[in-house]
Amino acid sequence: VDDARLRRLALETAQVVQAKASHAALEIRAVQRTWPRARAMVICRSRRAVATWTRSLRRLELRTYGAFSGALSDGLDESKLNPLLALNEAEVVVVCGKLEAGYDDPLLACLIVDRHVSAPA
């Protein structure tokens, strides 16, 4: 296993993501105290991280929708991850590489980036 892959795997473990999600939930709730209808977006490293972040934020009682295309190796897809929640009902949307898709919500007030960000070419 190369160093970069090992670092990526370590950053996506459930315990690490839960700790980051706890901090993110505090920030999201702080924004919502000022703007109660405010929504947040979390941008992750991978589709697997979308699922982990989504579950972690739900444990913290935030209505969270995980959005990604395709399916993971275990068969998990977007519809299975979000069986009881529609995108427009979510307080938090967790994505991986969907900034280009143009998610446009006037209530989006908090952006959490949990991935490497590089300058465009």
Side-chain angles (χ1 to χ4, degrees):
V1 176
D2 61 60
D3 288 344
R5 185 167 185 262
L6 188 59
R7 270 193 307 274
R8 183 175 45 84
L9 291 172
L11 291 171
E12 292 181 5
T13 63
Q15 295 83 1
V16 171
V17 172
Q18 187 65 49
K20 292 188 277 189
S22 294
H23 180 72
L26 292 174
E27 297 297 324
I28 293 165
R29 288 187 180 119
V31 170
Q32 288 176 332
R33 277 192 293 279
T34 305
W35 298 289
R37 293 179 45 218
R39 293 191 181 164
M41 177 181 280
V42 178
I43 304 169
C44 302
R45 292 177 169 81
S46 67
R47 294 180 300 168
R48 174 64 59 199
V50 169
T52 307
W53 265 94
T54 299
R55 291 175 178 135
S56 295
L57 289 168
R58 285 180 184 158
R59 280 188 212 106
L60 298 167
E61 299 182 3
L62 286 167
R63 289 186 322 271
T64 305
Y65 188 94
F68 61 91
S69 57
L72 302 179
S73 59
D74 61 3
L76 181 69
D77 62 15
E78 191 172 321
S79 63
K80 290 177 186 169
L81 183 60
N82 305 292
L84 303 174
L85 185 69
L87 178 59
N88 63 348
E89 298 170 341
E91 295 175 281
V92 183
V93 177
V94 184
V95 299
C96 175
K98 289 229 177 177
L99 279 181
E100 302 86 16
Y103 177 74
D104 185 20
D105 187 337
L107 300 175
L108 185 62
C110 187
L111 181 64
I112 296 151
V113 180
D114 185 30
R115 66 177 296 154
H116 178 74
V117 179
S118 59

